Amino acid sequence: MAHTSAERFEEMQNLHREYVSLIENFLGEQMKKRKPDSEIVKMISDFAVGRIIRKPGIRGYIFSKMSALVGVNDSKKIAYLSAAIELGLSSVYCFNVGADNKAGYGGSKKTIAFKTAEYLKDIHREFIF
């Protein structure tokens, strides 16, 4: 178990690297297969992946610690479940962008945000099942 802040941060970054590669590979496969509109691709790239998934956060780290408490110490399973959580949250964040009148997304951009959320929700389901 990591004891210093630097050790915890390194552990968090290592887990993040592992689950981000799972997400990016899966998204790449799905985009080739489903061929979404260019606007959806741009929002996924700029917002879902660029602002949310690629930034290391505490969620995966906390999830890995909670998993260890219940006896799950398999790093591949933890990375997969962390990837599933982040992918699901990216769908919710895109939906919120479309629903938020203060986000600067109006008119057709709101529609793109909602379509992207729906697209990511479908991909999330396929990732899990």
Side-chain angles (χ1 to χ4, degrees):
M1 179 174 226
H3 297 288
T4 68
S5 293
E7 289 171 330
R8 284 192 297 270
F9 187 71
E10 184 178 340
E11 198 176 320
M12 180 182 75
Q13 285 185 312
N14 290 337
L15 174 62
H16 181 258
R17 254 190 304 278
E18 199 172 336
Y19 73 73
V20 165
S21 69
L22 288 173
I23 294 170
E24 288 179 335
N25 289 337
F26 189 74
L27 276 174
E29 290 170 12
Q30 291 300 309
M31 288 179 151
K32 286 179 187 172
K33 186 170 123 180
R34 296 171 183 245
K35 297 179 178 43
D37 296 342
S38 61
E39 295 90 1
I40 291 175
V41 172
K42 182 169 176 27
M43 184 159 193
I44 289 172
S45 176
D46 293 349
F47 187 76
V49 173
R51 289 191 192 173
I52 298 162
I53 294 170
R54 282 206 184 121
K55 292 189 178 179
I58 194 75
R59 286 184 296 269
Y61 179 77
I62 290 173
F63 182 70
S64 72
K65 296 305 173 194
M66 289 170 49
S67 298
L69 286 174
V70 296
V72 177
N73 293 310
D74 185 332
S75 65
K76 291 192 184 294
K77 287 180 182 176
I78 292 169
Y80 179 81
L81 292 171
S82 295
I85 289 168
E86 291 296 316
L87 194 52
L89 286 174
S90 69
S91 169
V92 173
Y93 288 140
C94 288
F95 180 87
N96 286 345
V97 165
D100 186 3
N101 291 327
K102 298 174 191 167
Y105 274 72
S108 65
K109 286 187 178 182
K110 278 182 164 290
T111 303
I112 293 165
F114 288 129
K115 284 182 180 179
T116 304
E118 196 62 32
Y119 180 84
L120 287 170
K121 187 168 72 172
D122 290 343
I123 287 176
H124 180 242
R125 267 191 228 112
E126 194 161 323
F127 186 79
I128 293 173
F129 301 111

